[in-house]
Amino acid sequence: MAFSNAPTELINCHKRTIEVDEEQKQNQFLQWARLILPWLTPGELANVSLTCRTLSQISKSITLSRSLDASRSVENFPIPFHNAADKTPYAYFIYTPSQIIPPPCPAQFPPRQFWASTNAAADAESNSSLSRLGFDSVSLVCESDESESGCDCEECFEVGLGDGVFGCPCFSGLEDVGIVSECGPSCGCGSECGNRLTQRGISVRLKIVRSVNKGWGLYADQFIKQGQFICEYAGELLTTKEARRRQQIYDGLASSPRNSSALLVIREHLPSGKACLRMNIDATRIGNIARFINHSCDGGNLSTTLVRSSGSILPRLCFFASKDIKEGEELAFSYGEIRARPRGLPCYCGSTSCFGILPSENT
């Protein structure tokens, strides 16, 4: 009898083998999908979701996780998107928490970034991609390749404590020209130093909200006291020639609300008063949540301050609360006073002093 049942057992064994193989293939397919799909743009993700139910479910999960945190878990708090104006779940861009210098050849620049769930594996992958985007602070060095500046303090104090104990040298010398000085990478103090306020990431809860007229804007998701640090303006540091080239492209696309640019020109007047340092920061494709801060003709509720870390050549543009900000209030600052284009983009700031046109100048 056992021999007569042998063909049936063989058939059943073959079926089980096929089922196991199919299950393994399905698991392998899901693993690859979860690795590849988070690198896709919204358009690519939408096309993939049409191919089968499994990929559609994964795509929806990725879209949801992206809408829950614009910062890819890089910042101290998640920064979600909220949209009651249309069906756009989030704004797609490459996130960097600091200024970056793009390589000379644009083709070498990583055009994609892992952006999916908030689990540990995804976070590690996201942070890995961010580290490839970022760069170390540009420091002044001597012939021995050691930093020319930086304090040796274990704890930094702004003023002398008496008994021969003097204040940290990183505090002095720049406040009178509108620049705040902080300890830098070559200083002896650690990351918890009180003179590294703007270097510990975003420490207030924020959210990105979409409106019909303005598009995306940055809002407070908690009460923020006057003087609190909000964020820095992060993006690509460009040469003036490249900034002008990109601005021409952005001007040609400006008629579409989906193609708003975030190229900011900063001029730092040097102590001599005879020259200024120009910085071009483009957060249009690569930046942080500061790219969503809208203009207000009355100056808004944010103040801008140039912050230079000890030993760094270039300062960073940082935003602080210029007044107490209520939860749910939009964050805004003035883009400037110059309106070089009479037919510029309309302004929807809603302030009593609104000019009706956004500031613009020739880059």
Side-chain angles (χ1 to χ4, degrees), residues 233-255:
Y233 197 91
E236 298 177 87
L237 283 170
L238 306 179
T239 63
T240 298
K241 180 180 179 181
E242 175 62 15
R244 288 171 176 165
R245 186 191 72 83
R246 291 193 186 186
Q247 189 60 60
Q248 288 182 343
I249 297 174
Y250 298 153
D251 287 344
L253 300 172
S255 57

Side-chain angles (χ1 to χ4, degrees), residues 50 59 79 141 150 190 233 242 288 338:
L50 300 175
S59 298
I79 305 172
V141 296
Y233 197 91
E242 175 62 15
N288 66 347
I338 300 174

Side-chain angles (χ1 to χ4, degrees), residues 74-302:
V74 169
E75 303 296 350
N76 297 312
F77 302 109
I79 305 172
F81 291 92
H82 295 270
N83 185 3
D86 54 40
K87 296 183 179 180
T88 307
Y90 61 91
Y92 184 80
F93 65 104
I94 294 177
Y95 196 92
T96 176
S98 58
Q99 298 171 355
I100 63 170
I101 300 177
C105 179
Q108 297 174 355
F109 199 85
R112 299 178 185 272
Q113 184 180 58
F114 190 99
W115 189 9
S117 67
T118 56
N119 60 45
D123 290 351
E125 189 65 36
S126 177
N127 289 331
S128 174
S129 65
L130 282 171
S131 66
R132 291 194 294 271
L133 286 173
F135 73 102
D136 294 331
S137 299
V138 181
S139 300
L140 301 174
V141 296
C142 59
E143 292 181 357
S144 61
D145 202 30
E146 295 180 354
S147 175
E148 280 286 294
S149 58
C151 67
D152 296 323
C153 311
E154 291 184 4
E155 292 184 56
C156 298
F157 302 96
E158 187 169 1
V159 296
L161 301 178
D163 298 327
V165 180
F166 297 96
C168 173
C170 295
F171 277 98
S172 61
L174 294 172
E175 287 80 359
D176 57 339
V177 292
I179 304 174
V180 173
S181 180
E182 289 188 342
C183 294
S186 58
C187 292
C189 53
S191 60
E192 297 304 314
C193 170
N195 196 28
R196 296 180 183 269
L197 175 64
T198 67
Q199 301 174 36
R200 291 191 284 269
I202 299 170
S203 57
V204 294
R205 292 189 178 275
L206 306 169
K207 60 184 178 181
I208 303 164
V209 180
R210 188 170 178 84
S211 62
V212 176
N213 292 330
K214 294 183 182 180
W216 296 108
L218 190 63
Y219 286 70
D221 208 15
Q222 66 168 71
F223 173 76
I224 301 175
K225 291 183 179 180
Q226 180 180 0
Q228 275 192 270
F229 169 66
I230 306 297
C231 64
E232 71 170 271
Y233 197 91
E236 298 177 87
L237 283 170
L238 306 179
T239 63
T240 298
K241 180 180 179 181
E242 175 62 15
R244 288 171 176 165
R245 186 191 72 83
R246 291 193 186 186
Q247 189 60 60
Q248 288 182 343
I249 297 174
Y250 298 153
D251 287 344
L253 300 172
S255 57
S256 171
R258 292 183 177 271
N259 293 308
S260 58
S261 67
L263 200 164
L264 193 64
V265 178
I266 305 165
R267 293 176 177 87
E268 175 193 355
H269 294 279
L270 301 180
S272 65
K274 298 179 180 180
C276 70
L277 174 67
R278 171 177 169 144
M279 292 174 55
N280 309 287
I281 308 176
D282 190 5
T284 305
R285 299 181 300 179
I286 303 151
N288 66 347
I289 49 92
R291 68 195 296 277
F292 297 108
I293 302 177
N294 285 319
H295 164 78
S296 181
C297 293
D298 64 1
N301 49 21
L302 299 180

